[in-house]
Amino acid sequence: MTERITEDPGAAAPAAVRPLPPAPVRRVSMADVARRAGVSSQTVSRVSNGYPGVVEATRRQVLDAMAELGYRPNSAARALRSGRFRTIGVILFSLSTTGNVRTLEAIATSAAAQGYAITVIPVEAPTQGGVRGAFTRLGELAVDAVILLMEVHLLDAADLTLPDGVPVVVADSDADDRYPVIDTDQADGSRTAVQHLLDLGHRTVVHLAGPEQSFAGQRREDAWRRTLTDAGCEVPEVYRGDWSAWSGYEVGREIARTDATAVFAANDQMALGLMRALAESGRAVPDDVSVVGFDDVPDAVAYRPPLTTIHQDFAEVGRRCVELVLHRLDAGAADHGATLVPVRLVERASTAPPPA
C-alpha cells in the first residue's frame, strides 16, 4: 500500500537554502614564485621589473614559475614602493606620417629594453581643444615622463603647461629653452640635397616644400634657400604640398610645365607623386629632371627610378629620446638645448647631370 503524504497548506514554507560564498582566492605572491623557482624574492623582483644582470637560466626559471602559478606583478603596489609607474607617455598628432610611426616604434622598443611601457596619447586635431584634451588624459594617467612628438608652440597656443616634476623631451625641431630636444639635422639634410644637385651641374634647384605651419618643413625650406643664395644661384618660386604623395602629384603637374631640371622634395612621399606627374608629362627622371627626397622611407629603393634621398635615422631619434628622458628622471637633470642626429645622402638613380 502506497503511503500518501498530504502537505498542510497553512504550514510555514521551509527557509531557502543559501549557497555559501566562494572561498576567497589567494593572490599568488612573489614569495610563492621564489619558492617554486628556488630563488630569492629579490631575484624574482629583478626579473619582474626587467632589470639586467640576471643569468639567463635563472631568468627563464623564474619566468616558468610565474607562468605555472599564474603570477601577475602588482603594478600599483610596485609603484608605491618605488615611486615609479615605469610608464612613459607619448603625445603625438598622427600615426599617418613616416617620421612619427618609425620614431614611435623606436621609442617603444627602447623603453621596453629599459623595463618601461609606453602609453600613447593621440591629439585628435591640431587645435587648442585637441591639445587640451590630450593633456587632460595625460593628467588622468600614471606616467613617469613624457615624450612629445609634436611642435611645442602648440602648448603655448592652448595655454597649457605640463605636470610639475614630470620630465619632458621633445622629438622635434621646434622648441625653446624649456625642454630638451632630440631631432635629426634638418638643415644639414637640405643643404646636402641641394649641394648634390648643384655639384651635378644644375644651375638651380626647385623646392617642393612641406606645409607652411610645419617647423621641420620650414627648416628644410630655409636651408634650401640659404644654400642657393650662398652658391650665387637663382632662388626659384617655392611650390608647397602637404606631405602626401597626392599633393606631390598635383603640385608636380605645375612643376612639369616649367623648365626645371632639378627638384628637391621635402619628403619622399611628395617626391613619389612628383615623379608620377613628370612621367605623365613626358619628362623622364633623371634624364630631363633630377629628383631628391627626404626621409629614406623603406619603399624609396623601389620607386621608379629608385629615389636619391636624405636618410633620417628615426630609430636613433627614438632611442635618444628614451635615454634622455630616463636620465632626467633618474638624475633630476634640467638640461636643455637641442641634440641633432646626423643625416646622410643616399644616392640612387633619380639624379644625374642636367640635359645637354
Side-chain angles (χ1 to χ4, degrees):
M1 181 177 179
T2 303
E3 181 181 4
R4 297 181 64 185
I5 300 176
T6 304
E7 294 184 356
D8 180 357
V17 178
R18 295 182 180 177
L20 293 174
V25 178
R26 188 176 71 83
R27 183 184 181 91
V28 177
S29 70
M30 191 177 293
D32 296 329
V33 175
R35 281 192 295 271
R36 177 63 64 91
V39 298
S40 68
S41 293
Q42 183 181 10
T43 299
V44 175
S45 176
R46 292 180 64 82
V47 172
S48 178
N49 287 295
Y51 286 111
V54 179
V55 176
E56 179 58 27
T58 302
R59 189 181 72 85
R60 174 49 53 193
Q61 193 172 332
V62 171
L63 291 176
D64 289 345
M66 288 180 177
E68 291 173 16
L69 296 175
Y71 172 75
R72 296 184 63 185
N74 187 331
S75 58
R78 185 170 59 196
L80 287 173
R81 289 193 303 271
S82 66
R84 298 279 180 91
F85 296 99
R86 303 197 71 80
T87 301
I88 299 170
V90 181
I91 300 180
L92 76 171
F93 272 133
S94 171
L95 283 173
S96 63
T97 63
T98 296
N100 276 3
V101 171
R102 293 171 69 181
T103 304
L104 181 61
E105 179 183 24
I107 289 171
T109 302
S110 299
Q114 297 297 324
Y116 279 75
I118 67 167
T119 296
V120 178
I121 308 167
V123 177
E124 295 178 359
T127 62
Q128 292 183 20
V131 174
R132 285 196 190 99
F135 278 84
T136 298
R137 292 193 296 278
L138 173 66
E140 297 168 351
L141 298 171
V143 299
D144 299 307
V146 175
I147 297 173
L148 298 178
L149 294 183
M150 58 185 289
E151 293 163 353
V152 173
H153 73 281
L154 292 164
L155 303 185
D156 299 328
D159 192 25
L160 291 168
T161 56
L162 290 165
D164 291 336
V166 177
V168 177
V169 167
V170 181
D172 198 282
S173 57
D174 164 42
D176 51 31
D177 59 3
R178 290 175 296 170
Y179 309 113
V181 175
I182 305 292
D183 190 29
T184 51
D185 196 335
Q186 311 285 347
D188 185 59
S190 293
R191 183 198 62 76
T192 301
V194 174
Q195 193 62 53
H196 168 67
L197 292 165
L198 296 180
D199 289 345
L200 287 171
H202 296 275
R203 292 187 298 174
T204 191
V205 178
V206 168
H207 185 40
L208 173 48
E212 200 163 13
Q213 68 272 21
S214 167
F215 277 74
Q218 193 61 55
R219 296 293 188 277
R220 298 172 197 183
E221 182 180 335
D222 291 346
W224 158 79
R225 183 177 287 105
R226 186 166 54 252
T227 304
L228 289 179
T229 300
D230 290 348
C233 299
E234 174 195 356
V235 179
E237 171 190 359
V238 173
Y239 294 85
R240 198 172 302 281
D242 64 7
W243 298 126
S244 70
W246 181 250
S247 73
Y249 172 72
E250 289 188 315
V251 175
R253 291 193 296 180
E254 298 178 37
I255 295 174
R257 292 193 289 267
T258 72
D259 60 357
T261 65
V263 182
F264 165 46
N267 77 337
D268 291 350
Q269 289 295 100
M270 291 194 297
L272 175 62
L274 166 68
M275 291 199 294
R276 175 189 166 188
L278 291 171
E280 289 181 357
S281 72
R283 303 191 69 187
V285 176
D287 295 341
D288 299 317
V289 183
S290 288
V291 176
V292 177
F294 203 113
D295 282 342
D296 194 21
V297 298
D299 291 340
V301 70
Y303 285 11
R304 186 175 181 184
L307 181 66
T308 295
T309 186
I310 299 297
H311 176 82
Q312 294 197 83
D313 194 342
F314 295 110
E316 182 65 9
V317 171
R319 188 192 68 77
R320 290 197 188 189
C321 282
V322 172
E323 180 182 79
L324 181 55
V325 82
L326 293 184
H327 170 69
R328 299 192 76 207
L329 184 63
D330 291 335
D335 47 342
H336 301 299
T339 299
L340 298 181
V341 176
V343 297
R344 59 185 172 85
L345 177 73
V346 180
E347 291 188 54
R348 298 193 179 103
S350 68
T351 54

